Amino acid sequence: SSSNPRRRACRAGTDRIRMYDISTGMIYDLAPDAPPEANLRNPAIDGDLVAWQDARNGLDWDIWMNDTDPSRWEERQLILDPAFQSFDQTNPGISGDLMVYEDSREGWTDIFLYNRSLSEELGNLSPTDDGYSQQAPEISGDRVIWQDAVGAQPGYYLIRMYNATTGGAYPPEYTDNAWDQSARISRNRLVWTEPGAETFHIYMYTTGAERP
């Protein structure tokens, strides 16, 4: 029914976060309470949770989320310490109870880790006071990767990895030619795009033992 706010059509001029249910063919609006002027970007999904960056307050970007189960629908904001809430939080990634995002509190973007079950920010995973941005975080299990301009060739990025269980980085970085917003991770495998002499190439790196 068009009167159902969870299924209403996209309003003109407004970004929406839409979910497609493969089993039913239904399309749902997961952010029906966002005002028309809101900017909604970069959705991430893991299991029953969808998160996105949201500028509905008109002042800065925040992370908002909603459940994929209609019985548990509730738009809610990721709440941080008030000292940091007014800075931009963007580009979320989710894996179980863990969430990663870019945060601008240092004046550029750093990668922060958050535990949803504890409602606790676990800290900055990337270098501080370096004058460079770290961006495009991805998470799978306890492994977090991001693209880092520190030490990379101009215009490219290193791919760095962090282990949320041990609290340490995986040495070394994997490439200094990663193309903007291209790195992805699933379990112990990373893929990314690198420019070649005439075209782009897809590379894969496996940490630890390879699966058959």
Side-chain angles (χ1 to χ4, degrees):
S1 169
S2 61
S3 62
N4 187 330
R6 302 294 177 177
R7 301 178 185 176
R8 64 189 176 208
C10 179
R11 291 172 287 184
T14 304
D15 299 319
R16 311 308 309 160
I17 300 298
R18 313 299 291 275
M19 180 183 74
Y20 180 80
D21 188 323
I22 297 173
S23 62
T24 66
M26 296 296 298
I27 297 176
Y28 298 93
D29 182 356
L30 295 184
D33 298 331
E37 66 275 10
N39 291 314
L40 315 178
R41 296 282 190 277
N42 298 324
I45 185 170
D46 182 65
D48 293 333
L49 187 72
V50 176
W52 62 90
Q53 71 183 65
D54 192 312
R56 70 180 67 190
N57 65 16
L59 301 174
D60 59 86
W61 292 103
D62 299 300
I63 303 299
W64 282 70
M65 63 195 84
N66 205 343
D67 204 287
T68 61
D69 186 333
S71 68
R72 298 192 299 264
W73 264 329
E74 179 188 5
E75 286 180 69
R76 56 198 186 278
Q77 183 180 351
L78 183 70
I79 301 299
L80 304 178
D81 185 305
F84 306 126
Q85 191 74 67
S86 61
F87 294 94
D88 289 328
Q89 289 85 43
T90 58
N91 287 321
I94 318 166
S95 184
D97 281 336
L98 297 177
M99 180 178 291
V100 290
Y101 45 86
E102 297 176 23
D103 189 289
S104 67
R105 70 188 65 173
E106 299 289 345
W108 44 85
T109 54
D110 291 300
I111 308 304
F112 279 75
L113 181 68
Y114 190 93
N115 188 304
R116 295 189 299 110
S117 65
L118 301 176
S119 299
E120 179 183 355
E121 193 174 62
L122 302 181
N124 187 352
L125 308 187
S126 53
T128 59
D129 302 323
D130 56 24
Y132 291 89
S133 289
Q134 288 76 46
Q135 65 181 43
E138 295 279 332
I139 184 169
S140 180
D142 61 0
R143 293 178 171 94
V144 182
I145 64 169
W146 63 87
Q147 294 178 219
D148 197 322
V150 179
Q153 299 179 26
Y156 300 102
Y157 299 87
L158 300 176
I159 298 174
R160 299 191 188 274
M161 180 183 286
Y162 178 89
N163 187 317
T165 298
T166 65
Y170 286 91
E173 57 274 356
Y174 301 101
T175 174
D176 61 358
N177 293 307
W179 196 249
D180 188 14
Q181 302 285 333
S182 67
R184 299 290 185 267
I185 183 170
S186 179
R187 297 174 65 180
N188 68 330
R189 285 180 171 157
L190 292 73
V191 292
W192 65 88
T193 305
E194 283 192 20
E198 298 181 359
T199 186
F200 289 92
H201 303 282
I202 303 296
Y203 289 83
M204 182 178 75
Y205 183 95
T206 301
T207 66
E210 290 194 39
R211 300 191 308 276

